[in-house]
């Protein structure tokens, strides 16, 4: 993936990390030190899950090379569409979490990274291992920065427009999937 596409993908994937980190800092007495741990954990998981997915996708490409662009498109459409539907439902989790326990932070990191795993399979079908690693590093760094911004915003009681951010992120993923499909069909 190109640098701009990787950056857009990273922004789309880390919206849930922004929302969780902002909400966590807002609803709990999250210190900046614990917020840093939250952001690092989110960045590692968000960067690592798509890498695992990309490795799986890269292995599978030999078996499905004739339809890999359709699979990548379908996965991005599925994840992007689910993000939009979830945003329009507007369901919020009001439960306060005990972020003093590292396993809770890891559980949140896994929950916010599952979509990145699926997307990683898609770009693993369409990219080399080197490109996939580069994209995953960008995803991890952007997620870390965005999660730290979320902690900062949450500690200052500044709301994040969760619904619109999630809808835009879903549209970006659908756009990237459509671009992949069109490149394979017409170029």
């Amino acid at each position: 993936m190109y640098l701009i596409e990787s950056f857009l993908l990273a922004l789309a994937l880390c919206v849930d990390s922004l929302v969780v980190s902002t909400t966590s800092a807002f609803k709990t007495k999250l210190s900046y030190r614990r917020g840093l741990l939250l952001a690092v954990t989110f960045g590692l998981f968000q960067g690592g899950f798509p890498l695992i997915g990309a490795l799986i996708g890269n292995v599978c490409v030999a078996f499905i090379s004739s339809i890999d662009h359709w699979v990548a498109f379908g996965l991005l459409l599925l994840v992007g569409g689910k993000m939009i539907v979830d945003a329009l439902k507007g369901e919020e989790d009001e439960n306060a979490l005990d972020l003093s326990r590292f396993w809770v932070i890891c559980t949140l990191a896994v929950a916010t990274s599952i979509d990145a795993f699926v997307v990683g399979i898609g770009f693993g079908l369409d990219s080399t291992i080197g490109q996939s690693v580069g994209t995953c590093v960008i995803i991890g760094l952007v997620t870390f920065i965005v999660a730290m911004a979320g902690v900062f915003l949450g500690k200052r009681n500044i709301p994040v427009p969760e619904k619109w951010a999630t809808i835009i992120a879903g549209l970006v993923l659908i756009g990237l999937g459509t671009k992949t499909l069109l490149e394979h069909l017409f170029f």
Side-chain angles (χ1 to χ4, degrees):
M1 295 196 132
Y2 297 103
L3 187 61
I4 293 171
E5 289 174 331
S6 297
F7 183 71
L8 287 173
L9 180 63
L11 285 176
L13 290 174
C14 73
V15 167
D16 48 357
S17 296
L18 171 67
V19 171
V20 170
S21 61
T22 303
T23 304
S24 298
F26 178 73
K27 290 185 177 183
T28 66
K29 302 259 185 213
L30 188 69
S31 67
Y32 280 112
R33 182 177 181 176
R34 204 68 176 165
L36 179 64
L37 177 63
L38 182 80
V40 167
T41 306
F42 278 18
L44 288 173
F45 278 71
Q46 198 82 352
F49 272 44
L51 182 59
I52 295 167
L55 293 173
I56 292 169
N58 200 274
V59 168
C60 293
V61 76
F63 303 109
I64 60 169
S65 62
S66 62
I67 60 165
D68 63 347
H69 50 283
W70 285 103
V71 173
F73 169 71
L75 290 172
L76 288 168
L77 180 68
L78 181 71
V79 173
K82 182 178 179 330
M83 289 174 80
I84 292 170
V85 168
D86 288 349
L88 293 174
K89 282 183 185 176
E91 297 175 2
E92 291 185 29
D93 184 17
E94 295 295 326
N95 297 330
L97 296 169
D98 181 10
L99 296 177
S100 65
R101 298 174 186 253
F102 184 64
W103 70 268
V104 173
I105 292 174
C106 287
T107 302
L108 288 172
V110 168
T112 59
S113 300
I114 291 172
D115 56 346
F117 172 76
V118 174
V119 169
I121 293 171
F123 68 75
L125 294 171
D126 197 40
S127 305
T128 66
I129 295 291
Q131 291 170 325
S132 296
V133 169
T135 298
C136 292
V137 168
I138 291 170
I139 291 170
L141 290 173
V142 169
T143 300
F144 167 75
I145 292 167
V146 168
M148 276 308 298
V151 169
F152 179 80
L153 293 171
K155 288 192 70 62
R156 283 163 182 67
N157 298 331
I158 300 172
V160 173
E162 176 182 357
K163 179 179 179 178
W164 291 108
T166 305
I167 289 171
I168 291 169
L171 290 172
V172 167
L173 290 178
I174 291 169
L176 290 171
T178 303
K179 179 186 175 295
T180 300
L181 180 64
L182 292 176
E183 283 178 345
H184 278 50
L185 292 177
F186 299 112
F187 301 106

